[in-house]
Amino acid sequence: MRLFPILASALMVSAPLAHAEMLPAYDSETICADVAGGSARQELIMRGCLDFQERTRKEIALAWDKLPVPVQVSCTKAAEGSGDYWRLKSCIDKEVRSTSAATGH
């Protein structure tokens, strides 16, 4: 029972001040179907696209909770029209680079 107050205290101290956004969930099937279109190699393109979207989503998911909330919010908004994990990652990379450059890191 003594563990609970210690754990609760640790969680309160480590809790971020700003509320983190949820990682957006996009419909990769639709995006990839648009990319593949009526190509003669449609199935190959579709599989490659889905694999790329999934790898990109996983890469974003690993870093999502460490991103500043303003980056999460602005990049979610920037990518919501396309619903594309690559666009979301591109935005995140750009925002992180500009933040690092501004702080000199």
Side-chain angles (χ1 to χ4, degrees):
M1 268 319 217
R2 281 193 310 189
L3 184 60
F4 179 73
I6 295 169
L7 184 59
S9 298
L11 289 174
M12 288 190 315
V13 169
S14 66
L17 296 176
H19 179 67
E21 294 288 309
M22 293 287 294
L23 176 66
Y26 298 136
D27 181 6
S28 295
E29 292 269 341
T30 301
I31 292 167
C32 291
D34 287 346
V35 169
S39 170
R41 306 179 115 204
Q42 185 175 10
E43 185 177 331
L44 181 64
I45 293 169
M46 184 75 172
R47 278 197 319 256
C49 177
L50 288 171
D51 179 60
F52 179 73
Q53 286 288 317
E54 182 60 18
R55 284 185 290 125
T56 305
R57 186 197 66 75
K58 285 179 180 179
E59 189 176 334
I60 295 167
L62 289 172
W64 188 254
D65 291 339
K66 297 170 196 87
L67 293 171
V69 172
V71 172
Q72 292 176 346
V73 171
S74 67
C75 289
T76 298
K77 287 180 183 174
E80 74 185 353
S82 68
D84 182 354
Y85 288 109
W86 179 81
R87 288 186 195 262
L88 180 61
K89 182 170 181 340
S90 296
C91 177
I92 291 167
D93 291 346
K94 180 181 169 192
E95 292 279 337
V96 168
R97 273 193 310 270
S98 67
T99 301
S100 294
T103 60
H105 291 120

